[in-house]
């Protein structure tokens, strides 16, 4: 009975958290020129405007480019860091791991404010490289945690066996270690992409006229026009996140 009650409470909480997000979907089809709920009528006008307005489609392209580059950089660095942490003594490794996952603990606004001054001095404000580096700081913990979780289950005797059969360290890593770590690396890459694609706070500090991401464009749309096109953009973000999380689920099952 207690298990059933706990499941019901958890389900109710999930529904409560998801309902506001699901309410955005019908608003994106409203015929009115402003956000209203319940929506009035049905039209695909706002999706059409999203894909035809240069500001919106340009910000979508910027977000996609930044998210892909962030996923590549964060996955590469995070995997290397996780492998290095696995070689450290337990206490030292725990302290260093905590340092790398601080961006998950510290409020994002503090991270954004801390990054702004060095980025401004380095000329990285309002640039795609600046956004990629800033988002990588936020995405690294997800890669490190996922790869480290797989590393803890890695049977090092398999690697030793490969070495004893004549494999060089590079070949043993490529043929044995890397395939075992692949699910954690893939999961970290998915979370890194989603983290970058949805990030708004750090992007508000780093982005500019030459590098406006979709969440920043949505923030501006909410502040200045309250158009249903923002709801359409939100639905597209939700679809991207759901697709990527589905891919992550399929990777986990495999």
């Amino acid at each position: 009975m207690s298990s059933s009650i706990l499941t019901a409470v958890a389900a109710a909480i999930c529904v409560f958290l998801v309902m506001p997000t699901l309410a955005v979907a019908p608003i994106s089809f409203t015929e009115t020129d402003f956000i209203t709920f319940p929506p009035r009528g049905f039209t695909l006008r706002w999706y059409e405007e999203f894909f035809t307005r240069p500001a919106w489609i340009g910000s979508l392209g910027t977000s996609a480019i930044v998210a892909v580059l962030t996923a590549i950089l964060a996955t590469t660095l995070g995997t290397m860091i996780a492998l290095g942490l696995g070689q450290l003594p337990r206490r030292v490794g725990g302290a260093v791991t905590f340092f790398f996952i601080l961006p998950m603990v510290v409020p994002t606004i503090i991270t954004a404010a801390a990054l702004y001054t060095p980025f401004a001095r380095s000329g990285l404000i309002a640039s795609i490289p600046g956004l990629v580096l800033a988002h990588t700081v936020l995405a690294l913990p997800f890669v490190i945690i996922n790869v480290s979780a797989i590393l803890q289950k890695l049977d090092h005797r398999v690697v030793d066996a490969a070495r004893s059969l004549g494999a060089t360290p590079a070949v043993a890593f490529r043929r044995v270690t890397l395939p075992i770590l692949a699910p954690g690396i893939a999961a970290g890459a998915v979370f890194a992409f989603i983290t970058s694609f949805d990030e708004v706070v750090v992007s508000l500090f780093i982005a500019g006229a030459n590098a406006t991401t979709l969440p920043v464009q949505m923030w501006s749309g909410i502040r200045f026009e309250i158009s249903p096109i923002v709801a359409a953009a939100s639905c597209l973000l939700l679809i991207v996140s759901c697709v990527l999380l589905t891919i992550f689920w399929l990777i986990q099952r495999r």
Side-chain angles (χ1 to χ4, degrees):
M1 177 64 71
S2 59
S3 177
S4 301
I5 294 175
L6 183 61
T7 302
V9 171
I13 293 174
C14 290
V15 171
F16 177 77
L17 294 175
V18 171
M19 282 301 293
T21 304
L22 296 180
V24 174
I27 295 175
S28 65
F29 298 104
T30 184
E31 292 182 344
T32 58
D33 292 333
F34 52 89
I35 293 177
T36 180
F37 191 85
R40 302 173 187 174
F42 180 88
T43 180
L44 295 175
R45 167 191 170 190
W46 305 113
Y47 289 92
E48 180 182 356
E49 290 201 19
F50 177 87
F51 287 106
T52 54
R53 287 192 184 182
W56 287 94
I57 196 64
S59 63
L60 176 62
T62 300
S63 285
I65 292 171
V66 171
V68 169
L69 294 177
T70 298
I72 294 173
L73 183 58
T75 302
T76 303
L77 292 177
T79 302
M80 295 170 62
I81 292 171
L83 289 170
L85 292 174
Q87 303 300 316
L88 296 175
R90 183 178 297 273
R91 290 185 179 181
V92 177
V96 178
T97 301
F98 178 76
F99 170 78
F100 281 109
I101 67 173
L102 272 178
M104 296 181 64
V105 180
V106 176
T108 311
I109 185 66
I110 296 178
T111 303
L115 291 175
Y116 181 80
T117 299
F119 275 45
R121 291 175 178 174
S122 304
L124 293 173
I125 300 297
S127 67
I128 288 181
L131 284 170
V132 172
L133 291 176
H135 288 184
T136 299
V137 172
L138 300 178
L140 265 178
F142 295 97
V143 180
I144 294 173
I145 289 173
N146 280 282
V147 176
S148 296
I150 301 296
L151 271 175
Q152 290 179 358
K153 301 177 182 178
L154 174 64
D155 187 353
H156 292 280
R157 292 177 298 179
V158 179
V159 181
D160 294 336
R163 294 293 306 278
S164 67
L165 293 173
T168 63
V171 172
F173 176 79
R174 179 170 56 88
R175 300 287 297 272
V176 179
T177 306
L178 194 58
I180 295 175
L181 297 181
I185 295 173
V190 169
F191 279 108
F193 184 94
I194 294 176
T195 299
S196 173
F197 202 75
D198 289 344
E199 175 54 38
V200 61
V201 178
V202 170
S203 298
L204 283 171
F205 278 76
I206 307 300
N210 297 326
T212 301
T213 62
L214 182 57
V216 173
Q217 182 66 30
M218 292 169 62
W219 174 267
S220 299
I222 286 290
R223 288 185 63 191
F224 299 117
E225 51 181 327
I226 317 181
S227 170
I229 194 172
V230 177
S234 299
C235 281
L236 293 174
L237 278 176
L238 181 61
I239 290 172
V240 170
S241 298
C242 289
V243 169
L244 291 175
L245 289 175
T246 301
I247 293 174
F248 168 64
W249 176 71
L250 292 174
I251 291 173
Q252 273 196 325
R253 288 193 60 185
R254 184 171 182 179

